[in-house]
Amino acid sequence: MTAILLAAGVGKRLLGFSNGRPKCLIEIGGKSLLVRLLEGLAAAGVREAVVVVRLRRGRRARGVGGGPPGIRVRYLSNPRFREGAILSLWTAREMLDGPVS
C-alpha cells in the first residue's frame, strides 16, 4: 500500500506559529508532524509514502531524512501548490493505479 501525503500547502492558518516553516515540519516533543505521520503509517503496515511538496523538497527531506524504518519515502513537487490541494493530488496521479491510502 502507498500513502499519498499532501504537504505542499501554504499553511496560512499556522504562519504565526510556524515562523515560515512548512507546517508539516512543526515539531511536537522533538518530532515533526510529518515524521510522526510516517511512523504511524509504517506501524500500520504502509511500506511506501509519496509526499507532495512545493517547488523543492529540500526542507521537508532534511526534516525527515530517509524516513522512519519500514517505510520508503519519495517526494514529488507541485509547482502550482498555491492553486489548491487538488493539484497536489493530481501531481501524484500516477500513484493512484494501485492500493492507496
Side-chain angles (χ1 to χ4, degrees):
M1 168 115 19
T2 299
I4 298 175
L5 309 176
L6 306 181
V10 177
K12 290 184 263 185
R13 291 177 296 232
L14 292 177
L15 278 178
F17 179 76
S18 68
N19 296 321
R21 280 182 308 196
K23 64 183 171 186
C24 64
L25 295 182
I26 293 172
E27 291 190 0
I28 298 174
K31 277 188 197 176
S32 72
L33 296 174
L34 183 54
V35 166
R36 288 176 178 279
L37 179 57
L38 291 168
E39 288 175 344
L41 289 169
V46 175
R47 296 294 160 240
E48 180 179 38
V50 176
V51 182
V52 182
V53 298
R54 295 180 189 185
L55 299 173
R56 297 180 308 265
R57 66 183 184 117
R59 276 180 140 176
R60 288 159 190 85
R62 284 191 303 274
V64 172
I71 191 166
R72 177 180 173 223
V73 180
R74 295 191 306 152
Y75 298 89
L76 296 175
S77 296
N78 173 14
R80 296 174 61 189
F81 66 92
R82 283 189 169 82
E83 297 176 49
I86 193 67
L87 291 178
S88 289
L89 185 58
W90 179 252
T91 299
R93 67 191 174 277
E94 292 178 8
M95 303 295 116
L96 299 174
D97 65 350
V100 176
S101 65

